[in-house]
Amino acid sequence: MAATNIGMMDSAYFVGRGEILAWINSTLHLNLSKVEEAASGAVVCQLMDAVHPGMVPMHKVNFDAKSEYEMIQNYKVLQDVFNKLKITKHIEVNKLVKGRPLDNLEFMQWMKRYCDTVNGGVVNNYNPVERRDACKGGKEANKRAATAPTQASSKSSSAAPKSQASQPARKNDVNSTNGSQKSAKPVSNAGGQAYDEQITELKLFVDSLEKERDFYFAKLRDIEILCQSPEIEHLSIVGAIQKILYATDDSPAVVAEAQAMIAAEQQKQQQLPALSPIAEASEEKLPQQHQESQKRKCISTLEVDMAANSTLSPRQRLSDISDVHYCGSPLTNC
């Protein structure tokens, strides 16, 4: 599916919390007031059942799941459905079961985008109440969804007959009191709802900051591990990076010192004498040339001696030999 893998900057993740709640409640005939109420995984399972009828074994879904173990069982059912449909979306179960608003909101934003890509988001001939009856805790969930919208009206209607029966003589006062109470209740309810919305928005903001903090911390940790590699840890630029990483304050002097380290290393490299490849080659050839010259001298000396011997007469050669005395020989006198 096209929505299986969508980036965090996709428009799907900019859908508001109110729109997500309205979509869930209208599709499944529920009355959720917070996105984290869907953290158990039962709501997500039924949303998949709505767009893929018959794919979800609803008898395994638990709408009454309260512990993390029970919630995880619901997400196992959801993962099996994803596998059957070859959906590669990673489900961060450990975060969702914690009931954190931001994590559940992002997952529901993805779910809405996915459901919108299936048949254009149109759910035909689907009875969510009937399907929920087959789930564990489904009937109780249907009762809560049915009684929640009329709870306030039933309380106000039950209070009126009691006041009329107990004080018939003060009917006008009671009516005026009831009227003032009815006019005051919407104000208090509106104030409480606004307070809840502010709390939720603050939680979402804090979760977003924590997620961003964890993201950049992981990047810095990767850089630190890379700088500790034996192949590059001796480089000056690595030392400069580590100086910035391990700085305990935000002083600009830290960056200036790191830049000075890099500049000093560059200056040192420029001062090193560069050896010419021709000079190196000539130095290597010197020993060989010296040996060749010695050989030439020996050969030339031998040639001269041979030439001199060839020009002498036999008598001259004998005279040369007679000049040689062997001391200690009985034939010669030294």
Side-chain angles (χ1 to χ4, degrees):
M1 291 296 175
T4 297
N5 293 310
I6 58 176
M8 289 301 298
M9 297 306 295
D10 191 89
S11 60
Y13 291 107
F14 292 92
V15 179
R17 181 177 57 91
E19 184 177 350
I20 293 294
L21 289 173
W23 168 67
I24 296 173
N25 292 332
S26 62
T27 304
L28 302 182
H29 296 179
L30 292 172
N31 191 36
L32 303 184
S33 59
K34 299 178 181 178
V35 178
E36 54 267 33
E37 292 179 19
S40 68
V43 172
V44 188
C45 287
Q46 189 167 15
L47 287 172
M48 292 297 296
D49 183 66
V51 295
H52 296 289
M55 290 295 296
V56 181
M58 293 298 290
H59 65 280
K60 294 183 179 180
V61 179
N62 185 2
F63 269 86
D64 196 32
K66 293 181 176 59
S67 66
E68 291 188 6
Y69 173 78
E70 293 174 332
M71 296 178 184
I72 291 174
Q73 303 309 310
N74 287 336
Y75 284 106
K76 286 184 178 179
V77 175
L78 180 64
Q79 186 63 64
D80 291 339
V81 176
F82 277 17
N83 294 338
K84 292 178 182 178
L85 297 173
K86 297 182 180 180
I87 300 174
T88 59
K89 169 68 175 175
H90 175 64
I91 306 174
E92 296 182 341
V93 180
N94 293 332
K95 293 182 178 180
L96 295 174
V97 297
K98 300 296 183 183
R100 298 176 61 178
L102 181 62
D103 296 324
N104 283 273
L105 176 61
E106 289 180 352
F107 189 60
M108 282 300 174
Q109 288 170 335
W110 179 90
M111 276 298 303
K112 186 177 187 306
R113 167 56 66 88
Y114 176 80
C115 293
D116 289 343
T117 60
V118 180
N119 299 326
V122 179
V123 179
N124 296 320
N125 301 324
Y126 183 75
N127 190 336
V129 177
E130 182 179 349
R131 291 289 291 168
R132 221 166 16 246
D133 284 338
C135 304
K136 182 180 179 180
K139 294 182 179 180
E140 290 76 8
N142 289 335
K143 291 179 181 179
R144 289 193 298 269
T147 57
T150 60
Q151 187 174 3
S153 60
S154 63
K155 288 183 178 180
S156 61
S157 61
S158 62
K162 290 182 180 180
S163 62
Q164 291 177 358
S166 59
Q167 297 178 357
R170 300 177 60 185
K171 185 176 181 179
N172 294 331
D173 294 339
V174 172
N175 290 335
S176 62
T177 303
N178 289 338
S180 63
Q181 290 178 353
K182 290 180 180 179
S183 61
K185 280 184 178 180
V187 177
S188 61
N189 290 337
Q193 185 177 1
Y195 177 77
D196 291 340
E197 289 180 356
Q198 289 179 0
I199 294 297
T200 303
E201 293 297 331
L202 287 175
K203 288 182 178 179
L204 291 173
F205 181 70
V206 171
D207 289 344
S208 177
L209 290 178
E210 290 179 351
K211 194 170 185 178
E212 185 176 4
R213 176 202 64 191
D214 295 341
F215 174 79
Y216 286 110
F217 177 80
K219 293 295 181 184
L220 291 174
R221 178 57 180 157
D222 293 339
I223 295 173
E224 182 184 28
I225 294 174
L226 180 63
C227 291
Q228 293 174 352
S229 300
E231 295 83 0
I232 63 172
E233 63 179 355
H234 62 281
L235 299 179
S236 61
I237 190 171
V238 174
I241 293 173
Q242 289 177 333
K243 191 173 189 62
I244 297 174
L245 281 177
Y246 300 142
T248 57
D249 54 6
D250 294 334
S251 175
V254 177
V255 179
E257 292 177 3
Q259 292 175 344
M261 292 173 60
I262 299 175
E265 181 65 22
Q266 290 177 348
Q267 186 176 5
K268 183 179 178 181
Q269 293 292 335
Q270 292 175 356
Q271 292 176 353
L272 291 176
L275 294 177
S276 173
I278 299 177
E280 293 178 356
S282 62
E283 290 179 358
E284 292 178 356
K285 291 180 179 179
L286 282 176
Q288 297 178 358
Q289 293 176 352
H290 180 71
Q291 293 176 0
E292 291 177 358
S293 63
Q294 292 294 332
K295 290 180 181 179
R296 290 194 189 97
K297 287 181 180 180
C298 295
I299 294 172
S300 61
T301 304
L302 181 61
E303 290 176 349
V304 170
D305 293 340
M306 293 176 63
N309 291 332
S310 62
T311 56
L312 293 176
S313 62
R315 183 174 297 179
Q316 288 176 337
R317 293 178 188 173
L318 290 173
S319 63
D320 290 339
I321 296 173
S322 63
D323 292 336
V324 180
H325 300 284
Y326 297 93
C327 298
S329 174
L331 301 178
T332 61
N333 294 322
C334 294

